[in-house]
Amino acid sequence: MPTISAIIITKNEEKNIAACIDSVLWVDEIIVLDCGSTDQTQEICRKYAPKVKLRETDWPGFGEQKNRALALATSDWILSVDADERVTPQLKQEILQKLDNPNYVAYKTPRLNYFLGKPIRYCYGDKSDAPIRLAKKNACKFSDDIIHEKIIVNGTIGKLQNKLDHFSFNNIEDLINKINSYSTLGATKLYKNNKKTSHTKAFAHALWAFIRIYFLKRGFLDGWPGFIIAFSNFEGTFYRYVKLIEKNRSN
C-alpha cells in the first residue's frame, strides 16, 4: 500500500484546523504549513505531534505556498486539504481502495459545499467544483497562481465519487472578509498579467457572475443562501476589477 501525506496551509484557522486534522488522521503524515497565525492555530497543531509536522513560513501566495508544503511531504501520494474542508469516512475508504491498485496518477475530488449551515447543491455543482486533491507526489506540482491555484499533473486523471465536505464560511462576516481579501488577490493576479479594464466592463463581469450562478447553475434552488452566494460573487467580481483599475492608475 503506498503512503499518503496530507498537506494543509493555514493562517488563523483555530476554528477549523482541529476538525480538518481529525478527518485525515488515518494518513501516514500530516504537513501543516503556517504563515504567521496570531490565534491558537499553531498550539492546536502541536497537540497532534508527531503525526502533524508543523512548519512556519511567510506568505508568497496560494500556489507557491502549497508547493512548499508539497516539498515537505515524504509519502508516495499527497492529499491536499484546506483547513475548512473535511475528509468524510466514505471518501477515506474510497481513497484507500483506489490507492491499493491505482489506475491514475491523480484524482479529482467533488466537494459538497456548506453555507450558513446548509448544503449547497446547485450554486457550485459537482462538475465545476471537483478539483484535483489526490495525486502521486512525483507526478504533480501546484500552479504558481497567487489565488485559485490548481494541481498540474503529468499523467492521466481519474475522479472519485465520494465528496469532500467544504465549510467555507461560518457567517456573513467571514463571507465579507473573504470577498475583500480574495478580490485584492484577484486584482493583483490580473495586474501582474497586464490586464486592463473599465468600470463598465467591471459591472458586466460582475453581472455575468451573478447570472451564471443564480440562473444558469440554478442557484435559486438553494434558497436564500443561493441568492447570497450569487450576490457575493457579483460583489467579489466587481471589486476585483475596480481594484485592478486602481492598480493601473496608481502605477
Side-chain angles (χ1 to χ4, degrees):
M1 181 72 182
T3 54
I4 308 171
S5 295
I7 59 174
I8 309 167
I9 63 172
T10 58
K11 182 174 183 179
N12 294 335
E13 291 286 357
E14 65 179 8
K15 295 179 181 179
N16 288 313
I17 191 60
C20 179
I21 291 174
D22 286 339
S23 76
V24 293
L25 281 175
W26 49 274
V27 303
D28 297 280
E29 71 172 357
I30 302 171
I31 305 295
V32 177
L33 188 58
D34 187 76
C35 63
S37 287
T38 56
D39 62 3
Q40 297 297 307
T41 298
Q42 294 189 13
E43 287 73 11
I44 294 170
C45 290
R46 291 189 181 99
K47 294 178 181 179
Y48 288 90
K51 173 60 76 72
V52 171
K53 299 176 181 178
L54 174 66
R55 300 291 185 270
E56 298 180 58
T57 185
D58 59 351
W59 177 250
F62 281 96
E64 185 175 340
Q65 192 77 328
K66 289 193 175 182
N67 274 323
R68 290 174 175 178
L70 175 64
L72 293 170
T74 62
S75 297
D76 303 311
W77 287 72
I78 61 104
L79 176 62
S80 177
V81 185
D82 291 341
D84 59 2
E85 295 174 337
R86 314 285 180 262
V87 175
T88 64
Q90 296 82 3
L91 179 57
K92 166 193 169 182
Q93 289 303 318
E94 184 180 7
I95 289 172
L96 293 175
Q97 290 171 4
K98 292 291 186 184
L99 295 194
D100 189 45
N101 186 25
N103 295 317
Y104 304 95
V105 300
Y107 291 87
K108 293 182 178 181
T109 308
R111 296 194 298 181
L112 178 58
N113 295 275
Y114 289 81
F115 181 66
L116 301 180
K118 178 182 178 180
I120 303 300
R121 303 188 184 279
Y122 295 94
C123 286
Y124 302 104
D126 289 350
K127 291 184 179 180
S128 60
D129 193 22
I132 297 172
R133 290 306 180 87
L134 180 67
K136 202 169 185 179
K137 187 191 174 185
N138 63 8
C140 74
K141 66 176 182 178
F142 288 88
S143 64
D144 59 3
D145 298 302
I146 62 172
I147 187 174
H148 301 315
E149 77 296 339
K150 55 184 176 293
I151 294 181
I152 301 170
V153 175
N154 182 19
T156 55
I157 302 169
K159 185 177 181 180
L160 301 174
Q161 298 302 311
N162 289 285
K163 297 179 181 179
L164 187 69
D165 285 344
H166 182 211
F167 301 90
S168 53
F169 308 108
N170 293 314
N171 48 52
I172 297 298
E173 184 177 5
D174 284 349
L175 173 62
I176 293 171
N177 290 336
K178 187 163 282 190
I179 288 172
N180 186 39
S181 62
Y182 273 44
S183 61
T184 298
L185 289 171
T188 301
K189 179 179 178 179
L190 290 171
Y191 178 75
K192 288 183 176 180
N193 290 328
N194 297 314
K195 299 295 183 180
K196 307 292 182 181
T197 192
S198 66
H199 288 95
T200 301
K201 289 181 179 179
F203 180 80
H205 282 297
L207 183 60
W208 170 244
F210 180 88
I211 292 172
R212 181 172 56 86
I213 291 175
Y214 197 66
F215 294 107
L216 299 185
K217 291 189 174 184
R218 300 187 296 168
F220 58 86
L221 294 176
D222 284 316
W224 274 109
F227 177 82
I228 295 171
I229 290 170
F231 188 74
S232 69
N233 273 266
F234 174 95
E235 287 186 291
T237 303
F238 182 75
Y239 295 146
R240 179 167 71 246
Y241 283 97
V242 295
K243 287 178 180 180
L244 173 62
I245 293 172
E246 284 188 338
K247 286 181 177 293
N248 282 323
R249 285 179 176 175
S250 62
N251 292 281

PDB file of all heavy atoms in Angstrom, residues 67-89:
ATOM      1  N   ASN A  67       3.154  24.550  -2.963  1.00  0.00           N
ATOM      2  CA  ASN A  67       4.346  23.859  -3.463  1.00  0.00           C
ATOM      3  C   ASN A  67       5.373  23.670  -2.350  1.00  0.00           C
ATOM      4  O   ASN A  67       6.085  22.657  -2.315  1.00  0.00           O
ATOM      5  CB  ASN A  67       4.965  24.633  -4.629  1.00  0.00           C
ATOM      6  CG  ASN A  67       4.333  24.271  -5.962  1.00  0.00           C
ATOM      7  OD1 ASN A  67       3.985  23.120  -6.206  1.00  0.00           O
ATOM      8  ND2 ASN A  67       4.176  25.260  -6.831  1.00  0.00           N
ATOM      9  N   ARG A  68       5.462  24.632  -1.446  1.00  0.00           N
ATOM     10  CA  ARG A  68       6.354  24.475  -0.293  1.00  0.00           C
ATOM     11  C   ARG A  68       5.899  23.311   0.580  1.00  0.00           C
ATOM     12  O   ARG A  68       6.714  22.507   1.047  1.00  0.00           O
ATOM     13  CB  ARG A  68       6.374  25.758   0.533  1.00  0.00           C
ATOM     14  CG  ARG A  68       7.080  26.938  -0.118  1.00  0.00           C
ATOM     15  CD  ARG A  68       6.904  28.185   0.732  1.00  0.00           C
ATOM     16  NE  ARG A  68       7.656  29.326   0.232  1.00  0.00           N
ATOM     17  CZ  ARG A  68       7.626  30.536   0.790  1.00  0.00           C
ATOM     18  NH1 ARG A  68       6.875  30.742   1.868  1.00  0.00           N
ATOM     19  NH2 ARG A  68       8.331  31.525   0.282  1.00  0.00           N
ATOM     20  N   ALA A  69       4.591  23.228   0.816  1.00  0.00           N
ATOM     21  CA  ALA A  69       4.061  22.120   1.611  1.00  0.00           C
ATOM     22  C   ALA A  69       4.290  20.791   0.900  1.00  0.00           C
ATOM     23  O   ALA A  69       4.632  19.783   1.529  1.00  0.00           O
ATOM     24  CB  ALA A  69       2.572  22.334   1.879  1.00  0.00           C
ATOM     25  N   LEU A  70       4.109  20.795  -0.413  1.00  0.00           N
ATOM     26  CA  LEU A  70       4.346  19.589  -1.210  1.00  0.00           C
ATOM     27  C   LEU A  70       5.790  19.117  -1.063  1.00  0.00           C
ATOM     28  O   LEU A  70       6.060  17.916  -0.926  1.00  0.00           O
ATOM     29  CB  LEU A  70       4.025  19.879  -2.676  1.00  0.00           C
ATOM     30  CG  LEU A  70       4.316  18.776  -3.694  1.00  0.00           C
ATOM     31  CD1 LEU A  70       3.439  17.557  -3.434  1.00  0.00           C
ATOM     32  CD2 LEU A  70       4.094  19.292  -5.113  1.00  0.00           C
ATOM     33  N   ALA A  71       6.728  20.051  -1.068  1.00  0.00           N
ATOM     34  CA  ALA A  71       8.145  19.700  -0.953  1.00  0.00           C
ATOM     35  C   ALA A  71       8.471  19.080   0.403  1.00  0.00           C
ATOM     36  O   ALA A  71       9.421  18.296   0.524  1.00  0.00           O
ATOM     37  CB  ALA A  71       9.007  20.940  -1.186  1.00  0.00           C
ATOM     38  N   LEU A  72       7.695  19.420   1.427  1.00  0.00           N
ATOM     39  CA  LEU A  72       7.937  18.879   2.767  1.00  0.00           C
ATOM     40  C   LEU A  72       7.393  17.464   2.932  1.00  0.00           C
ATOM     41  O   LEU A  72       7.808  16.737   3.837  1.00  0.00           O
ATOM     42  CB  LEU A  72       7.296  19.792   3.818  1.00  0.00           C
ATOM     43  CG  LEU A  72       7.912  21.186   3.981  1.00  0.00           C
ATOM     44  CD1 LEU A  72       7.025  22.052   4.874  1.00  0.00           C
ATOM     45  CD2 LEU A  72       9.318  21.092   4.560  1.00  0.00           C
ATOM     46  N   ALA A  73       6.460  17.075   2.078  1.00  0.00           N
ATOM     47  CA  ALA A  73       5.835  15.755   2.192  1.00  0.00           C
ATOM     48  C   ALA A  73       6.827  14.664   1.793  1.00  0.00           C
ATOM     49  O   ALA A  73       7.621  14.828   0.864  1.00  0.00           O
ATOM     50  CB  ALA A  73       4.595  15.689   1.311  1.00  0.00           C
ATOM     51  N   THR A  74       6.763  13.531   2.494  1.00  0.00           N
ATOM     52  CA  THR A  74       7.708  12.436   2.242  1.00  0.00           C
ATOM     53  C   THR A  74       7.026  11.167   1.731  1.00  0.00           C
ATOM     54  O   THR A  74       7.699  10.159   1.517  1.00  0.00           O
ATOM     55  CB  THR A  74       8.482  12.096   3.531  1.00  0.00           C
ATOM     56  OG1 THR A  74       7.561  11.642   4.533  1.00  0.00           O
ATOM     57  CG2 THR A  74       9.245  13.305   4.044  1.00  0.00           C
ATOM     58  N   SER A  75       5.715  11.201   1.530  1.00  0.00           N
ATOM     59  CA  SER A  75       4.987   9.998   1.132  1.00  0.00           C
ATOM     60  C   SER A  75       4.898   9.856  -0.385  1.00  0.00           C
ATOM     61  O   SER A  75       5.278  10.754  -1.139  1.00  0.00           O
ATOM     62  CB  SER A  75       3.580  10.018   1.736  1.00  0.00           C
ATOM     63  OG  SER A  75       3.637  10.004   3.145  1.00  0.00           O
ATOM     64  N   ASP A  76       4.349   8.726  -0.815  1.00  0.00           N
ATOM     65  CA  ASP A  76       4.202   8.448  -2.246  1.00  0.00           C
ATOM     66  C   ASP A  76       3.116   9.316  -2.881  1.00  0.00           C
ATOM     67  O   ASP A  76       3.240   9.738  -4.030  1.00  0.00           O
ATOM     68  CB  ASP A  76       3.841   6.975  -2.464  1.00  0.00           C
ATOM     69  CG  ASP A  76       4.856   6.034  -1.850  1.00  0.00           C
ATOM     70  OD1 ASP A  76       6.061   6.234  -2.081  1.00  0.00           O
ATOM     71  OD2 ASP A  76       4.443   5.101  -1.123  1.00  0.00           O
ATOM     72  N   TRP A  77       2.049   9.549  -2.130  1.00  0.00           N
ATOM     73  CA  TRP A  77       0.909  10.325  -2.618  1.00  0.00           C
ATOM     74  C   TRP A  77       0.661  11.503  -1.692  1.00  0.00           C
ATOM     75  O   TRP A  77       0.978  11.447  -0.497  1.00  0.00           O
ATOM     76  CB  TRP A  77      -0.351   9.463  -2.677  1.00  0.00           C
ATOM     77  CG  TRP A  77      -0.346   8.462  -3.793  1.00  0.00           C
ATOM     78  CD1 TRP A  77       0.414   7.325  -3.874  1.00  0.00           C
ATOM     79  CD2 TRP A  77      -1.123   8.509  -4.992  1.00  0.00           C
ATOM     80  NE1 TRP A  77       0.156   6.665  -5.043  1.00  0.00           N
ATOM     81  CE2 TRP A  77      -0.792   7.364  -5.755  1.00  0.00           C
ATOM     82  CE3 TRP A  77      -2.074   9.395  -5.492  1.00  0.00           C
ATOM     83  CZ2 TRP A  77      -1.369   7.092  -6.982  1.00  0.00           C
ATOM     84  CZ3 TRP A  77      -2.663   9.125  -6.722  1.00  0.00           C
ATOM     85  CH2 TRP A  77      -2.307   7.988  -7.461  1.00  0.00           C
ATOM     86  N   ILE A  78       0.085  12.579  -2.250  1.00  0.00           N
ATOM     87  CA  ILE A  78      -0.300  13.720  -1.418  1.00  0.00           C
ATOM     88  C   ILE A  78      -1.813  13.920  -1.512  1.00  0.00           C
ATOM     89  O   ILE A  78      -2.424  13.714  -2.565  1.00  0.00           O
ATOM     90  CB  ILE A  78       0.452  15.015  -1.803  1.00  0.00           C
ATOM     91  CG1 ILE A  78       0.168  15.427  -3.255  1.00  0.00           C
ATOM     92  CG2 ILE A  78       1.938  14.859  -1.549  1.00  0.00           C
ATOM     93  CD1 ILE A  78      -0.797  16.577  -3.384  1.00  0.00           C
ATOM     94  N   LEU A  79      -2.383  14.290  -0.384  1.00  0.00           N
ATOM     95  CA  LEU A  79      -3.793  14.644  -0.287  1.00  0.00           C
ATOM     96  C   LEU A  79      -3.845  16.097   0.161  1.00  0.00           C
ATOM     97  O   LEU A  79      -3.511  16.409   1.303  1.00  0.00           O
ATOM     98  CB  LEU A  79      -4.507  13.736   0.714  1.00  0.00           C
ATOM     99  CG  LEU A  79      -5.979  14.029   1.001  1.00  0.00           C
ATOM    100  CD1 LEU A  79      -6.825  13.880  -0.262  1.00  0.00           C
ATOM    101  CD2 LEU A  79      -6.503  13.109   2.104  1.00  0.00           C
ATOM    102  N   SER A  80      -4.199  16.985  -0.751  1.00  0.00           N
ATOM    103  CA  SER A  80      -4.233  18.414  -0.452  1.00  0.00           C
ATOM    104  C   SER A  80      -5.608  18.782   0.105  1.00  0.00           C
ATOM    105  O   SER A  80      -6.627  18.603  -0.563  1.00  0.00           O
ATOM    106  CB  SER A  80      -3.946  19.224  -1.718  1.00  0.00           C
ATOM    107  OG  SER A  80      -4.045  20.608  -1.458  1.00  0.00           O
ATOM    108  N   VAL A  81      -5.610  19.293   1.337  1.00  0.00           N
ATOM    109  CA  VAL A  81      -6.861  19.623   2.014  1.00  0.00           C
ATOM    110  C   VAL A  81      -6.756  21.033   2.582  1.00  0.00           C
ATOM    111  O   VAL A  81      -5.746  21.393   3.188  1.00  0.00           O
ATOM    112  CB  VAL A  81      -7.153  18.627   3.161  1.00  0.00           C
ATOM    113  CG1 VAL A  81      -8.518  18.901   3.768  1.00  0.00           C
ATOM    114  CG2 VAL A  81      -7.073  17.193   2.673  1.00  0.00           C
ATOM    115  N   ASP A  82      -7.790  21.836   2.383  1.00  0.00           N
ATOM    116  CA  ASP A  82      -7.840  23.154   3.006  1.00  0.00           C
ATOM    117  C   ASP A  82      -8.356  23.022   4.433  1.00  0.00           C
ATOM    118  O   ASP A  82      -9.066  22.065   4.766  1.00  0.00           O
ATOM    119  CB  ASP A  82      -8.746  24.092   2.210  1.00  0.00           C
ATOM    120  CG  ASP A  82      -8.148  24.464   0.864  1.00  0.00           C
ATOM    121  OD1 ASP A  82      -6.916  24.308   0.692  1.00  0.00           O
ATOM    122  OD2 ASP A  82      -8.907  24.906  -0.018  1.00  0.00           O
ATOM    123  N   ALA A  83      -8.031  24.000   5.266  1.00  0.00           N
ATOM    124  CA  ALA A  83      -8.402  23.919   6.679  1.00  0.00           C
ATOM    125  C   ALA A  83      -9.910  23.877   6.886  1.00  0.00           C
ATOM    126  O   ALA A  83     -10.384  23.342   7.896  1.00  0.00           O
ATOM    127  CB  ALA A  83      -7.798  25.097   7.445  1.00  0.00           C
ATOM    128  N   ASP A  84     -10.673  24.424   5.948  1.00  0.00           N
ATOM    129  CA  ASP A  84     -12.130  24.426   6.096  1.00  0.00           C
ATOM    130  C   ASP A  84     -12.790  23.238   5.396  1.00  0.00           C
ATOM    131  O   ASP A  84     -13.992  23.243   5.148  1.00  0.00           O
ATOM    132  CB  ASP A  84     -12.732  25.741   5.595  1.00  0.00           C
ATOM    133  CG  ASP A  84     -12.414  26.031   4.134  1.00  0.00           C
ATOM    134  OD1 ASP A  84     -11.755  25.192   3.482  1.00  0.00           O
ATOM    135  OD2 ASP A  84     -12.819  27.106   3.642  1.00  0.00           O
ATOM    136  N   GLU A  85     -11.998  22.209   5.099  1.00  0.00           N
ATOM    137  CA  GLU A  85     -12.524  21.004   4.458  1.00  0.00           C
ATOM    138  C   GLU A  85     -12.400  19.797   5.386  1.00  0.00           C
ATOM    139  O   GLU A  85     -11.552  19.767   6.275  1.00  0.00           O
ATOM    140  CB  GLU A  85     -11.785  20.736   3.143  1.00  0.00           C
ATOM    141  CG  GLU A  85     -12.020  21.813   2.103  1.00  0.00           C
ATOM    142  CD  GLU A  85     -11.185  21.630   0.857  1.00  0.00           C
ATOM    143  OE1 GLU A  85     -10.131  20.954   0.935  1.00  0.00           O
ATOM    144  OE2 GLU A  85     -11.566  22.175  -0.190  1.00  0.00           O
ATOM    145  N   ARG A  86     -13.232  18.785   5.129  1.00  0.00           N
ATOM    146  CA  ARG A  86     -13.235  17.567   5.932  1.00  0.00           C
ATOM    147  C   ARG A  86     -13.311  16.360   5.005  1.00  0.00           C
ATOM    148  O   ARG A  86     -14.171  16.300   4.120  1.00  0.00           O
ATOM    149  CB  ARG A  86     -14.443  17.522   6.881  1.00  0.00           C
ATOM    150  CG  ARG A  86     -14.711  18.821   7.635  1.00  0.00           C
ATOM    151  CD  ARG A  86     -13.741  19.061   8.766  1.00  0.00           C
ATOM    152  NE  ARG A  86     -14.051  20.319   9.436  1.00  0.00           N
ATOM    153  CZ  ARG A  86     -13.426  21.467   9.200  1.00  0.00           C
ATOM    154  NH1 ARG A  86     -12.469  21.516   8.286  1.00  0.00           N
ATOM    155  NH2 ARG A  86     -13.750  22.568   9.861  1.00  0.00           N
ATOM    156  N   VAL A  87     -12.438  15.388   5.237  1.00  0.00           N
ATOM    157  CA  VAL A  87     -12.499  14.130   4.504  1.00  0.00           C
ATOM    158  C   VAL A  87     -13.489  13.221   5.221  1.00  0.00           C
ATOM    159  O   VAL A  87     -13.285  12.859   6.381  1.00  0.00           O
ATOM    160  CB  VAL A  87     -11.115  13.462   4.423  1.00  0.00           C
ATOM    161  CG1 VAL A  87     -11.220  12.091   3.752  1.00  0.00           C
ATOM    162  CG2 VAL A  87     -10.141  14.355   3.663  1.00  0.00           C
ATOM    163  N   THR A  88     -14.562  12.865   4.554  1.00  0.00           N
ATOM    164  CA  THR A  88     -15.586  12.024   5.169  1.00  0.00           C
ATOM    165  C   THR A  88     -15.096  10.578   5.264  1.00  0.00           C
ATOM    166  O   THR A  88     -14.187  10.168   4.533  1.00  0.00           O
ATOM    167  CB  THR A  88     -16.880  12.055   4.345  1.00  0.00           C
ATOM    168  OG1 THR A  88     -16.612  11.476   3.052  1.00  0.00           O
ATOM    169  CG2 THR A  88     -17.381  13.487   4.171  1.00  0.00           C
ATOM    170  N   PRO A  89     -15.688   9.769   6.148  1.00  0.00           N
ATOM    171  CA  PRO A  89     -15.310   8.348   6.226  1.00  0.00           C
ATOM    172  C   PRO A  89     -15.492   7.621   4.895  1.00  0.00           C
ATOM    173  O   PRO A  89     -14.688   6.749   4.544  1.00  0.00           O
ATOM    174  CB  PRO A  89     -16.258   7.798   7.299  1.00  0.00           C
ATOM    175  CG  PRO A  89     -16.578   8.980   8.161  1.00  0.00           C
ATOM    176  CD  PRO A  89     -16.632  10.145   7.217  1.00  0.00           C
TER     177      PRO A  89
END
